[in-house]
């Protein structure tokens, strides 16, 4: 390997979380001792993706909502709300009565993940576990820094507690109060371990700036979800198969064997979840759509702005976003997500939907949809119209989190837009504006030129601002780079298995 190739390898390993072996044996030995002392056993990526091979007794009597290391074995899609394991990932299939389109929309319910009621728990594990078993992260010395616009920071703090290390959350001050209330309960020292940056969803640059400041202290270890390839790989490895499994179970239950997974939609955020679409594209020819806020149309128009679709920070293109392999971009207004979140949780809103013929099981599932979850569904409806999808074309997506994280935001919207009370007339108007005819004006079926335009936008964040080697940035343009990434989870599983053996040997 040439000196130049060594430099690129080191950047992938150290800067972006792609260690293919032990980096520091001394640090690794400390981690083994720490996990032995605390009774910590790590699941492999394969077990996270397919947990049914793991005995249920592995969790013992651990409280699913508590900081018990045995809850690492609940970091997967196969939980119910009580933390029990289920045979098929819990989901709901939205139908024409709600969506106005013939294509069924299958939605995995992310609030089934324990502790944080969001699937970002998965991303945090996918980033921390490889760093731990490679000897890069020292739980006896490092603070784990988790930058995000909310759920990833909480997932990072939770996984840090489970792995006996100290987690620090960085998130904008404008995020929902419920996120901060949770962090106050879970952080070791909230005054020091919850860092509030300026702004809201669209202020990701300010989060990066804070990370760069903290990185000057060798006691801090930054887990930047926007550039940590473990985030991409854990969703490719686990979320993709979970969507596939739920679809196949629905096919079997309904006898709809003639259907196909035509489209996967995901609000980009850190671009971790959308990697599941690449798994589906390889196996089913599925098209992949990246959604964002219309008030900040970064992908659609290289635009900027402010919005309230919490969980999808923007004004940049994440390093782990494989936009060159995606097919559509859609921009959804936060006015729609704000109003529908109210409608899905207010009695008069649900009553109006019932009058429209929305089935009871769908009504019961709607409180499991937070802002970005609703964005994903609206993007699916719009794209179905653009692509001319029909009843045999199933669309799959993810409800990142549920309404339990947004009562404070709902109260603001109720006061601002509905005079403090949501009436049946309000419900009819919200239906007419946001569901009766979902627009297609801001949904783009991308050409190669569009993909290149969006890819190039990432240069300013990653090369000019964050110091990513230019050649590494460019390698991401081709699909061979992304295919080569697929080998890492199996390498990490070997390292995790060896790590667990060393923990047990003591």
């Amino acid at each position: 390997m040439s000196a130049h190739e060594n430099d690129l390898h080191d950047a992938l390993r150290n800067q972006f979380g792609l260690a293919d072996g032990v980096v520091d044996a001394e640090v690794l030995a400390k981690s083994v001792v720490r996990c032995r002392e605390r009774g910590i056993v790590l699941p492999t990526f394969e077990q996270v993706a397919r947990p049914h091979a793991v005995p249920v007794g592995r969790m013992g009597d651990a409280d699913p909502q508590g900081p018990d290391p045995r809850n690492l074995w609940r970091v997967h899609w196969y939980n119910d709300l009580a933390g029990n394991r289920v045979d098929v990932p819990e989901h709901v299939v939205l139908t024409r009565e709600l969506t106005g389109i013939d294509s069924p929309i299958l939605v995995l319910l992310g609030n089934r993940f324990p502790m944080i009621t969001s699937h970002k728990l998965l991303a945090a594990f996918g980033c921390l576990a490889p760093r731990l078993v490679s000897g890069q992260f020292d739980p006896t010395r490092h603070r784990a820094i988790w930058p995000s616009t909310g759920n990833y920071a909480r997932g990072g703090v939770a996984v840090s507690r489970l792995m006996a290390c100290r987690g620090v959350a960085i998130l904008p001050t404008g995020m929902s109060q419920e996120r901060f209330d949770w962090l106050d309960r879970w952080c070791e020292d909230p005054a020091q371990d919850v860092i509030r940056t300026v702004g809201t969803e669209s202020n990701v640059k300010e989060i990066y700036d804070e990370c760069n400041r903290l990185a000057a202290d060798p006691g801090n270890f930054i887990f930047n979800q926007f550039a940590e390839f473990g985030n991409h790989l854990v969703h490719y490895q686990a979320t993709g198969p979970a969507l596939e499994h739920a679809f196949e179970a629905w096919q079997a239950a309904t006898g709809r064997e003639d259907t196909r997974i035509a489209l996967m939609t995901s609000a980009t955020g850190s671009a971790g979840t959308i990697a599941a679409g690449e798994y589906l594209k390889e196996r089913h020819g599925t098209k992949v759509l990246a959604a964002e806020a219309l008030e900040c149309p970064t992908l659609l128009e290289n635009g900027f702005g402010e919005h309230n679709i919490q969980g999808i920070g923007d004004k940049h293109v994440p390093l782990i976003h494989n936009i060159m392999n995606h097919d559509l971009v859609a921009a959804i207004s936060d006015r729609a997500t704000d109003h529908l979140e109210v409608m899905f949780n207010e009695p008069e809103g649900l009553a109006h939907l019932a009058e429209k013929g929305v089935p009871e099981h769908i009504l019961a599932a709607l409180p499991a949809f937070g802002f970005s979850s609703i964005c994903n569904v609206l993007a699916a409806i719009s794209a179905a119209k653009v692509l001319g999808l029909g009843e045999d074309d199933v669309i799959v997506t993810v409800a990142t989190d549920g309404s339990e994280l947004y009562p404070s935001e709902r109260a603001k919207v109720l006061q601002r837009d509905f005079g403090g009370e949501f009436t049946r007339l309000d419900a009819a108007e919200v239906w007419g504006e946001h569901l009766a005819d979902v627009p297609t004006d801001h949904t783009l079926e991308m050409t190669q030129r569009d993909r290149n335009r969006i890819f190039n936008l990432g240069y300013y964040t990653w090369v000019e601002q964050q110091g990513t080697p230019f050649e590494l940035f460019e390698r991401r343009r081709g699909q061979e780079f992304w295919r080569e990434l697929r080998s890492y989870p199996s390498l990490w599983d070997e390292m995790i298995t060896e790590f667990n053996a060393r923990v047990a040997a003591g």
Side-chain angles (χ1 to χ4, degrees):
M1 189 181 292
S2 69
H4 178 66
E5 289 172 328
N6 268 325
D7 288 344
L8 288 175
H9 179 266
D10 288 347
L12 285 170
R13 181 185 66 185
N14 299 324
Q15 194 174 353
F16 305 119
L18 290 172
D20 54 4
V22 174
V23 176
D24 190 323
E26 201 171 304
V27 169
L28 183 62
K30 292 181 185 178
S31 297
V32 167
V33 172
R34 169 63 64 90
C35 288
R36 185 183 300 144
E37 291 172 345
R38 305 295 178 89
I40 299 169
V41 182
L42 304 180
T44 64
F45 277 65
E46 176 65 21
Q47 289 167 329
V48 165
R50 297 168 182 83
H52 292 97
V54 179
V56 174
R58 171 71 79 173
M59 283 89 76
D61 59 356
D63 173 6
Q65 309 309 325
D68 189 311
R70 291 173 294 180
N71 281 332
L72 286 168
W73 297 89
R74 287 187 166 98
V75 181
H76 55 67
W77 280 103
Y78 292 80
N79 297 287
D80 64 14
L81 280 169
N84 302 308
R85 188 186 297 166
V86 294
D87 293 331
V88 177
E90 296 208 336
H91 61 279
V92 62
V93 177
L94 307 180
T95 53
R96 165 174 276 282
E97 295 86 356
L98 179 71
T99 65
I101 60 171
D102 291 330
S103 299
I105 303 176
L106 186 153
V107 188
L108 288 192
L109 301 178
N111 71 346
R112 270 47 174 178
F113 278 80
M115 293 169 283
I116 72 166
T117 62
S118 170
H119 80 312
K120 285 291 189 173
L121 199 65
L122 193 66
F125 174 84
C127 295
L128 178 53
R131 298 284 198 172
L132 184 75
V133 300
S134 64
Q136 291 178 293
F137 178 79
D138 183 350
T140 70
R141 180 174 73 93
H142 285 132
R143 294 197 309 167
I145 311 296
W146 303 97
S148 85
T149 53
N151 286 332
Y152 175 76
R154 295 190 309 117
V157 167
V159 168
S160 297
R161 289 283 298 272
L162 301 187
M163 293 191 187
C165 56
R166 184 173 175 182
V168 176
I170 304 177
L171 68 168
T173 192
M175 304 310 294
S176 71
Q177 184 60 42
E178 288 75 17
R179 284 174 164 86
F180 290 105
D181 292 343
W182 185 96
L183 288 166
D184 285 344
R185 296 192 300 271
W186 273 74
C187 284
E188 182 177 321
D189 180 0
Q192 297 295 319
D193 296 345
V194 181
I195 299 173
R196 302 183 185 219
T197 54
V198 301
T200 54
E201 287 302 314
S202 300
N203 295 97
V204 175
K205 168 65 164 55
E206 290 78 3
I207 295 173
Y208 291 157
D209 291 344
E210 183 64 16
C211 286
N212 291 335
R213 184 187 72 80
L214 291 169
D217 181 344
N220 293 326
F221 198 106
I222 312 298
F223 288 93
N224 186 345
Q225 62 171 333
F226 304 96
E228 198 85 4
F229 283 99
N231 182 10
H232 169 93
L233 287 167
V234 77
H235 284 294
Y236 180 92
Q237 180 94 355
T239 303
L243 285 163
E244 181 181 55
H245 188 187
F247 166 72
E248 291 172 347
W250 174 81
Q251 273 190 316
T254 59
R256 300 286 303 278
E257 303 296 336
D258 54 342
T259 55
R260 67 186 182 110
I261 307 177
L263 176 70
M264 188 263 188
T265 69
S266 175
T268 49
S270 68
T273 306
I274 204 167
E278 297 186 42
Y279 172 91
L280 298 172
K281 179 183 281 281
E282 289 177 13
R283 290 177 59 87
H284 301 275
T286 303
K287 291 189 174 184
V288 183
L289 178 148
E292 62 181 357
L294 179 61
E295 288 73 17
C296 189
T298 305
L299 307 181
L300 187 67
E301 298 178 352
N302 290 7
F304 49 86
E306 292 285 338
H307 69 90
N308 193 45
I309 307 180
Q310 299 197 17
I312 59 168
D314 40 35
K315 286 198 294 198
H316 77 305
V317 180
L319 193 76
I320 65 169
H321 191 175
N322 184 13
I323 190 66
M324 298 300 291
N325 199 32
H326 298 165
D327 303 283
L328 299 99
V329 169
I332 303 299
S333 173
D334 69 355
R335 177 177 170 86
T337 54
D338 278 354
H339 288 184
L340 288 173
E341 199 278 337
V342 171
M343 187 175 195
F344 291 172
N345 288 278
E346 288 292 312
E348 293 296 337
L350 294 172
H352 183 78
L353 293 174
E355 284 184 358
K356 290 289 185 181
V358 178
E360 177 58 38
H361 73 279
I362 293 178
L363 295 175
L366 293 179
F369 288 68
F371 292 132
S372 64
S373 311
I374 297 168
C375 174
N376 287 345
V377 171
L378 293 175
I381 297 169
S382 183
K385 295 179 177 182
V386 168
L387 296 173
L389 300 183
E391 61 183 9
D392 294 333
D393 300 311
V394 177
I395 305 170
V396 296
T397 191
V398 169
T400 306
D401 57 26
S403 63
E404 58 268 24
L405 284 174
Y406 301 106
S408 61
E409 295 298 312
R410 191 179 316 130
K412 294 176 187 176
V413 176
L414 275 169
Q415 191 60 47
R416 182 191 70 200
D417 296 342
F418 302 107
E421 180 183 6
F422 194 75
T423 66
R424 188 66 64 91
L425 178 59
D426 293 324
E429 291 177 348
V430 167
W431 170 274
E433 182 178 357
H434 301 305
L435 281 175
D437 188 17
V438 174
T440 60
D441 300 5
H442 307 291
T443 295
L444 172 70
E445 196 169 4
M446 289 188 291
T447 64
Q448 191 67 7
R449 187 172 216 173
D450 292 319
R451 295 184 188 94
N452 276 313
R453 168 181 60 80
I454 296 169
F455 181 93
N456 292 344
L457 184 62
Y459 171 87
Y460 303 99
T461 296
W462 298 108
V463 179
E464 290 195 347
Q465 295 176 15
Q466 305 303 323
T468 300
F470 175 72
E471 183 176 338
L472 175 56
F473 176 83
E474 274 295 306
R475 280 190 183 183
R476 298 162 41 260
R477 198 183 295 271
Q479 292 311 299
E480 184 61 26
F481 172 87
W482 301 93
R483 285 191 289 270
E484 289 174 356
L485 292 182
R486 311 288 185 247
S487 65
Y488 280 92
S490 60
L491 290 174
W492 292 337
D493 282 356
E494 292 174 8
M495 295 162 69
I496 290 170
T497 300
E498 172 62 23
F499 181 87
N500 287 338
R502 289 182 62 181
V503 170

